[in-house]
Amino acid sequence: EPEVTQTPSHQVTQMGQEVILRCVPISNHLYFYWYRQILGQKVEFLVSFYNNEISEKSEIFDDQFSVERPDGSNFTLKIRSTKLEDSAMYFCASSEAHRGVETQYFGPGTRLLVL
Amino acid sequence: GEDVEQSLFLSVREGDSSVINCTYTDSSSTYLYWYKQEPGAGLQLLTYIFSNMDMKQDQRLTVLLNKKDKHLSLRIADTQTGDSAIYFCAESGANFGNEKLTFGTGTRLTIIP
């Protein structure tokens, strides 16, 4: 069964460093998402992406964050200058279409720790 | 903004039914979902319900929706040890360009042998 994959599974970085989290969505999916979950808190929406542009972003997704689909398979989240509070589990998701029941399929997540 | 609430923990004896509850605030929610997260794994979609439905059954899973009270529940019949996980309730609207999922805190289901 097709699945969303994410690399790395864990990343430790120093505050102020740039990190790139990688995702390979399901191949025929057109919509891509990033969510994050700070330990003990809710899963929060960060950004959605379609047709090579951001379709929606949350207030968390400030100028330190960017997303890119550099080729036909990868979808990346870049944090330009990490802060301690960026430590979280980051989930990538993809969906075939954009309306309701075309559900989002999630990857296993990347656990980011900023020291 | 939208908010989704769940209780944090539930313990159930193996073989009994589990009922996980969720409340939400957004009256324009169109789809409501249940996701399961096992340790070290991603969020696995279990089932969803459209807001014009009251109930949906899928094998051991029954979803009940009370739209008036904005209350959603997931019943797992004959709970097994493999059902141990965190269960997330989530909602989305169907407005074009607004398909983000809003999640609850997750309910950790523990099975007592």
Side-chain angles (χ1 to χ4, degrees):
Chain A
E1 188 175 322
E3 57 182 19
V4 177
T5 59
Q6 291 184 243
T7 53
S9 57
H10 294 79
Q11 178 143 8
V12 181
T13 190
Q14 295 288 327
M15 190 170 59
Q17 295 297 305
E18 173 185 286
V19 295
I20 297 176
L21 309 183
R22 291 185 165 81
C23 168
V24 179
I26 295 172
S27 63
N28 64 334
H29 285 188
L30 300 176
Y31 297 87
F32 315 113
Y33 311 83
W34 284 101
Y35 292 80
R36 78 172 186 192
Q37 185 182 27
I38 295 171
L39 190 65
Q41 297 186 24
K42 294 184 180 185
V43 176
E44 303 171 291
F45 169 78
L46 291 178
V47 66
S48 58
F49 189 86
Y50 168 69
N51 199 25
N52 280 321
E53 59 182 30
I54 290 172
S55 46
E56 186 178 0
K57 59 183 181 179
S58 71
E59 58 191 27
I60 304 167
F61 194 88
D62 62 21
D63 293 343
Q64 295 297 319
F65 292 88
S66 62
V67 288
E68 194 178 26
R69 187 150 163 84
D71 53 43
S73 59
N74 290 282
F75 178 52
T76 61
L77 174 70
K78 183 193 291 187
I79 310 175
R80 192 149 47 92
S81 177
T82 49
K83 305 192 266 294
L84 295 177
E85 54 265 37
D86 293 328
S87 295
M89 178 75 93
Y90 287 81
F91 293 106
C92 173
S94 68
S95 68
E96 199 168 353
H98 200 47
R99 288 184 181 275
V101 76
E102 300 295 340
T103 50
Q104 296 175 29
Y105 293 86
F106 283 76
T110 294
R111 186 172 294 284
L112 176 66
L113 178 61
V114 182
L115 302 176
Chain B
E2 306 92 345
D3 195 20
V4 179
E5 296 292 339
Q6 300 175 240
S7 53
L8 292 178
F9 302 99
L10 177 67
S11 294
V12 171
R13 207 162 287 281
E14 189 175 1
D16 288 351
S17 292
S18 307
V19 179
I20 303 170
N21 294 300
C22 169
T23 57
Y24 60 98
T25 59
D26 187 0
S27 57
S28 67
S29 295
T30 303
Y31 291 96
L32 295 125
Y33 305 83
W34 285 103
Y35 280 84
K36 176 183 180 183
Q37 184 182 34
E38 295 181 78
L43 299 166
Q44 173 199 353
L45 175 69
L46 283 179
T47 187
Y48 65 89
I49 188 167
F50 186 51
S51 60
N52 69 352
M53 297 167 66
D54 297 325
M55 186 180 93
K56 182 179 180 182
Q57 186 148 4
D58 183 1
Q59 299 182 339
R60 291 192 297 124
L61 305 179
T62 303
V63 178
L64 294 178
L65 175 61
N66 181 328
K67 196 172 178 184
K68 174 175 163 288
D69 294 340
K70 300 192 185 71
H71 182 267
L72 182 74
S73 68
L74 173 70
R75 178 176 179 269
I76 306 172
D78 187 25
T79 311
Q80 303 297 310
T81 53
D83 295 323
S84 293
I86 300 175
Y87 291 81
F88 291 92
C89 169
E91 63 87 24
S92 72
N95 297 322
F96 183 73
N98 182 27
E99 297 303 325
K100 68 177 190 288
L101 294 176
T102 300
F103 285 86
T105 51
T107 299
R108 184 180 295 275
L109 176 63
T110 302
I111 312 305
I112 305 164

